[in-house]
């Protein structure tokens, strides 16, 4: 058994999934703020990814950088349809189901990465085995998720 006693290494990662494809992962330097969200995620990744799809609805949660006025203006100025997001509904986030699988994969890699670059490479490697079929099953669970959230008056639904 490996015991890691040093402070945990962390990096901020953004990734998007679609029924038939996924975006590249984006490594975010520092804290995600509105400018960084536009410059590193929305303009170079999201906008171009969604342009390649016949129909798409973009889903993001209510994190502060996602709901700022400048971000809302970005979506008005670009033809991107947003999924309305209830105040507290992590149960509706499909990507939230992906990160525990990545974390599980990372626990099997020893020794732990001591620097951000090797850790980033391990995160990318841990996400790649997630099959598109698994992602499709997450999308297919959305009607059940929405129904469960509505049944629980917006509260925790078990997803």
């Amino acid at each position: 058994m490996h015991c890691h006693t040093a402070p945990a290494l962390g990096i901020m990662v953004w990734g998007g999934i679609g029924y038939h494809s996924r975006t590249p992962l984006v490594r975010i330097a520092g804290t995600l703020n509105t400018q960084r969200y536009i410059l590193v995620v929305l303009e170079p990744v999201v906008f171009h990814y969604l342009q390649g799809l016949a129909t798409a609805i973009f889903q993001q949660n209510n994190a502060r950088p996602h709901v700022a006025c400048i971000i809302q203006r970005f979506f008005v100025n670009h033809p991107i349809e947003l999924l309305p997001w209830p105040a507290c509904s992590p149960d509706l986030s499909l990507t939230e189901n992906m990160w525990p699988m990545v974390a599980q994969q990372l626990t099997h890699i020893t020794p732990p990465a001591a620097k951000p670059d090797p850790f980033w490479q391990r995160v990318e490697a841990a996400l790649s085995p997630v099959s598109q079929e698994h992602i499709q099953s997450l999308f297919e669970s959305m009607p059940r998720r929405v129904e469960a959230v509505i049944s629980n008056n917006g509260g925790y639904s078990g997803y």
Side-chain angles (χ1 to χ4, degrees), residues 28-145:
I28 298 169
T31 303
L32 184 66
N33 59 31
T34 56
Q35 290 298 323
R36 197 168 285 135
Y37 188 45
I38 290 172
L39 295 174
V40 176
V41 176
L42 294 178
E43 285 180 344
V45 180
V46 172
F47 183 66
H48 295 291
Y49 175 75
L50 294 177
Q51 281 186 318
L53 302 175
T55 58
I57 299 173
F58 184 63
Q59 178 185 20
Q60 60 181 5
N61 61 25
N62 287 327
R64 191 169 303 197
H66 299 170
V67 296
C69 291
I70 190 171
I71 302 301
Q72 299 308 309
R73 272 195 306 277
F74 177 88
F75 289 116
V76 168
N77 294 331
H78 296 78
I80 298 173
E81 183 179 355
L82 286 175
L83 180 71
W85 192 263
C88 296
S89 305
D91 302 352
L92 296 177
S93 174
L94 303 181
T95 56
E96 291 302 319
N97 293 105
M98 304 273 300
W99 298 122
M101 291 186 294
V102 171
Q104 173 83 18
Q105 292 290 325
L106 290 172
T107 62
H108 297 299
I109 300 171
T110 56
K115 298 192 183 233
D117 288 340
F119 187 59
W120 168 250
Q121 293 167 349
R122 290 177 181 186
V123 169
E124 287 183 307
L127 190 59
S128 64
V130 177
S131 71
Q132 198 63 36
E133 290 79 19
H134 179 76
I135 292 171
Q136 289 172 350
S137 72
L138 292 173
F139 274 88
E140 290 162 1
S141 74
M142 277 304 282
R144 293 186 306 274
R145 290 167 182 266

